[in-house]
């Protein structure tokens, strides 16, 4: 089958599994970006570099190279949930080890911190303006879509403005208030 058809079917299967097994796809509390940044400095800098560009001293000898978190096109394909899973499980065939020993809140904080790195201040500001104007509420009634969907997923489902809104909600978790959190 053509790649777009396979991708669409895989996406449907992903949502069916999540629904059937009630997989938690979002944090229970707004992630602390400050905590995420602290964890990044403690455990990620050696491979991913000080700014998250995949240029850390230990990462120079890894194949494949560590992820460059500022690479917008690549990061547009990754959701905070995908980053959370990579942190939790590691990535086979790479130098990315599991950090399962971190608490759930810490893994979400780190995932949101990483997702935020590819966002420009202008994009975050534009998303904030849209969110405060009441735009995009249907796309993000809870934190689930913020966490589970990549920017590419958001664009395909909801359009361009919600992509900016998602960026704002990633950069300022909890800014939607308590109602924004999953029950």
């Amino acid at each position: 089958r053509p790649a777009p058809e396979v991708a669409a079917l895989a996406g449907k299967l992903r949502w069916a599994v999540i629904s059937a097994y009630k997989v938690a796809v979002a944090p229970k509390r707004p992630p602390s970006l400050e905590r995420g940044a602290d964890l990044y400095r403690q455990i990620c800098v050696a491979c991913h570099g000080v700014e998250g560009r995949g240029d850390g001293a230990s990462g120079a000898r890894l194949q494949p190279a560590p992820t460059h978190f500022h690479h917008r096109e690549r990061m547009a394909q990754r959701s905070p949930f995908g980053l959370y899973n990579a942190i939790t499980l590691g990535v086979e065939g790479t130098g990315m080890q599991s950090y399962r020993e971190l608490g759930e809140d810490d893994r979400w904080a780190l995932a949101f911190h990483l997702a935020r790195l590819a966002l420009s201040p202008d994009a975050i500001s534009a998303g904030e303006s849209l969110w405060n104007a009441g735009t995009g509420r249907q796309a993000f009634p809870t934190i689930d879509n913020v966490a589970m969907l990549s920017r590419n997923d958001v664009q395909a489902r909801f359009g361009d403005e919600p992509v900016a809104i998602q960026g704002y909600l990633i950069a300022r978790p909890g800014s939607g208030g308590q109602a924004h959190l999953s029950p």
Side-chain angles (χ1 to χ4, degrees):
R1 298 289 197 183
E5 186 178 337
V6 171
L9 291 171
K12 287 181 183 178
L13 179 60
R14 171 180 65 167
W15 286 105
V17 168
I18 287 168
S19 178
Y21 291 97
K22 299 181 180 15
V23 175
V25 297
K28 294 175 183 147
R29 288 167 283 289
S32 165
L33 292 180
E34 182 178 291
R35 177 67 178 149
D38 287 344
L39 288 166
Y40 181 84
R41 284 189 292 275
Q42 292 171 32
I43 62 177
C44 305
V45 166
C47 292
H48 293 281
V50 173
E51 295 180 0
R53 298 185 186 280
D55 59 355
S58 297
R61 64 179 182 271
L62 296 176
Q63 280 299 329
T67 297
H68 180 319
F69 296 111
H70 295 268
H71 190 274
R72 289 181 199 256
E73 291 80 25
R74 179 181 167 110
M75 291 302 290
Q77 300 171 30
R78 304 292 306 269
S79 67
F81 179 64
L83 295 166
Y84 174 86
N85 282 332
I87 294 162
T88 302
L89 304 172
V91 180
E92 191 172 329
T94 74
M96 180 61 192
Q97 69 182 50
S98 165
Y99 289 94
R100 190 181 309 256
E101 72 276 3
L102 293 175
E104 183 178 335
D105 287 346
D106 282 347
R107 286 178 277 147
W108 277 114
L110 186 52
F112 269 69
H113 171 72
L114 297 174
R116 195 238 171 272
L117 292 177
L119 302 170
S120 73
D122 289 343
I124 294 167
S125 179
E128 180 177 22
S129 295
L130 290 164
W131 181 259
N132 289 339
T135 305
R137 304 289 172 143
Q138 74 285 356
F140 305 106
T142 68
I143 200 169
D144 288 12
N145 280 355
V146 175
M148 184 63 186
L149 299 176
S150 70
R151 286 195 291 284
N152 287 351
D153 292 334
V154 170
Q155 204 285 323
R157 283 185 181 195
F158 305 113
D160 293 331
E161 287 183 341
V163 171
I165 294 166
Q166 183 195 35
Y168 164 64
L169 295 172
I170 286 171
R172 307 283 192 293
S175 52
Q178 289 296 55
H180 190 62
L181 289 174
S182 302

